[in-house]
Amino acid sequence: MKKREVDHSLLDKAKINKKDEFYTQLIDIEKEVVHYTKHFRGKVVYCNCDDPEYSNFWKFFNEHFEELGLKELNATYFGEDARFYNYDGKEITITQLKENGDFRSNECIQVLKQSDIVVTNPPFSLFREYISQLDKYDKDFLIISNINAITYKEVFPLIQSNKAWLGVCFGRGISGFIVPESYELYGTETKVDENGKRIISPNNCMWLTSLDNEKRHQPIELVKQYEGNEESYPFYDNYWGINVNKTQDIPMDYMGAMGVPITFLNKYDPEQFEIIKFRKGDDDKDLKINGKAPYFRILIKRKTA
């Protein structure tokens, strides 16, 4: 089987060109939501970037409404003919919106306030504003983002304060997105499926959530030794901590501060590790080793021996 490579250019181009029409496949929603079923009982779910005519998020929650024990399902979407959809388990009510359905509009904020859990694939170019709004209104969420969103000043503090964490499927675990005819099929993996849908797989996306899941309570099995291999773990120039290039290289016998890649968060167990800070040394400049800065590092420390 050919290895799927990570192509950061795809969603980077989307950010530059403000092309946000990346529609999530039903299979990816099914694979992720199965890990959170207990959180949905009696709750109002809001898909606030979703036209029910096309959205697989709406389709999934509509079809599994009784199974999940939902109280209500809401959806709004951006557009000239924006509408508000509500499903109470018996009938779907459709209301024409006075505004354009932007998640930041007053109408959508009112729906947000009345909802419990937001589940969607928000616009990539507006992700900072999107996550800030969820935090402002203290809403639970299960959303898709680019992996680099971890580095955003609106996101990392939520992870550090245990208000958000990574979902179960990550990177290559998300199979791809449906894009419109107007989008170029660029990237490491593209295809047109049997239904004529154009699909791209950027391989650099993740689920971000405030809903607890079993994966984040599974400690990393540490197998590497620091003692005797000190040359493999150089200290930073501007912080008293060692550099660890890969999560699997975290040593079992070192209890001090360590800088690890942002992908560490895909394995992060908050009972096993403490997040100290992100990216900066004691001088508030990027962490450096012999004058050179490695790609973004998260400083962590073991909680348990």
Side-chain angles (χ1 to χ4, degrees):
M1 182 180 293
K2 184 179 178 181
K3 183 179 178 181
R4 290 174 63 176
E5 298 176 353
V6 176
D7 179 15
H8 295 282
S9 66
L10 188 60
L11 291 187
D12 288 342
K13 287 183 180 180
K15 181 176 180 181
I16 294 169
N17 299 326
K18 298 294 186 286
K19 286 188 173 182
D20 290 320
E21 294 181 83
F22 289 82
Y23 299 103
T24 310
Q25 295 188 86
L26 186 60
I27 186 174
D28 287 316
I29 298 169
E30 292 170 338
K31 284 193 303 182
E32 187 68 25
V33 175
V34 70
H35 299 281
Y36 310 90
T37 54
K38 65 180 181 181
H39 297 290
F40 288 99
R41 188 158 299 278
K43 299 298 176 64
V44 178
V45 170
Y46 184 21
C47 305
N48 62 349
C49 299
D50 298 83
D51 182 345
E53 295 294 322
Y54 308 100
S55 168
N56 282 320
F57 284 100
W58 173 272
K59 180 179 181 179
F60 175 84
F61 286 108
N62 180 269
E63 292 180 350
H64 296 275
F65 191 94
E66 291 187 7
E67 179 186 344
L68 291 170
L70 297 183
K71 181 180 179 181
E72 287 184 25
L73 174 61
N74 296 323
T76 53
Y77 58 95
F78 176 79
E80 294 180 359
D81 190 36
R83 300 177 184 184
F84 165 52
Y85 285 66
N86 172 268
Y87 179 53
D88 62 3
K90 297 179 181 179
E91 63 178 352
I92 298 174
T93 303
I94 304 174
T95 307
Q96 189 76 41
L97 293 175
K98 295 179 182 179
E99 299 174 283
N100 61 7
D102 189 305
F103 68 87
R104 298 163 293 186
S105 68
N106 290 327
E107 287 177 302
C108 291
I109 289 174
Q110 291 309 310
V111 179
L112 178 67
K113 288 179 178 179
Q114 298 164 16
S115 303
D116 299 306
I117 306 173
V118 177
V119 188
T120 192
N121 179 357
F124 177 68
S125 64
L126 298 174
F127 193 81
R128 295 172 186 268
E129 292 179 74
Y130 189 87
I131 194 69
S132 295
Q133 185 187 80
L134 295 179
D135 184 43
K136 177 181 178 180
Y137 292 102
D138 195 26
K139 294 299 176 181
D140 279 321
F141 55 88
L142 177 62
I143 57 178
I144 290 181
S145 77
N146 179 274
I147 290 172
N148 281 331
I150 292 169
T151 68
Y152 296 171
K153 62 182 179 63
E154 296 86 357
V155 175
F156 188 80
L158 298 180
I159 295 174
Q160 186 173 12
S161 60
N162 209 32
K163 294 175 69 176
W165 42 86
L166 272 61
V168 174
C169 297
F170 177 87
R172 295 178 179 89
I174 298 175
S175 59
F177 300 92
I178 303 165
V179 297
E181 290 286 338
S182 59
Y183 279 40
E184 177 188 352
L185 283 180
Y186 49 79
T188 55
E189 293 185 28
T190 65
K191 68 177 181 180
V192 178
D193 70 12
E194 63 276 9
N195 298 313
K197 293 179 179 177
R198 297 155 57 84
I199 298 171
I200 57 90
S201 301
N203 303 336
N204 65 339
C205 291
M206 66 179 187
W207 290 89
L208 187 69
T209 186
S210 62
L211 304 176
D212 201 17
N213 62 62
E214 72 281 0
K215 191 186 77 169
R216 66 187 296 261
H217 300 289
Q218 297 175 2
I220 300 170
E221 182 180 0
L222 305 177
V223 297
K224 295 296 181 72
Q225 293 277 151
Y226 174 73
E227 187 175 353
N229 298 289
E230 289 85 353
E231 70 282 355
S232 299
Y233 301 98
F235 276 83
Y236 294 109
D237 303 342
N238 52 346
Y239 191 84
W240 188 252
I242 61 172
N243 180 67
V244 180
N245 284 320
K246 298 179 180 179
T247 300
Q248 60 261 38
D249 292 339
I250 295 175
M252 66 173 72
D253 58 340
Y254 189 84
M255 297 301 294
M258 299 173 274
V260 293
I262 60 174
T263 50
F264 158 82
L265 292 176
N266 186 43
K267 303 290 185 180
Y268 170 51
D269 175 357
E271 282 85 42
Q272 185 182 22
F273 290 97
E274 168 193 356
I275 296 176
I276 303 171
K277 62 188 300 189
F278 175 62
R279 188 177 174 178
K280 303 294 184 181
D282 291 329
D283 55 1
D284 205 33
K285 295 181 180 179
D286 284 353
L287 294 165
K288 290 185 174 61
I289 304 169
N290 297 324
K292 296 183 178 181
Y295 191 70
F296 298 141
R297 290 291 188 262
I298 298 171
L299 288 165
I300 64 169
K301 188 176 182 179
R302 292 268 299 283
K303 283 186 175 180
T304 56

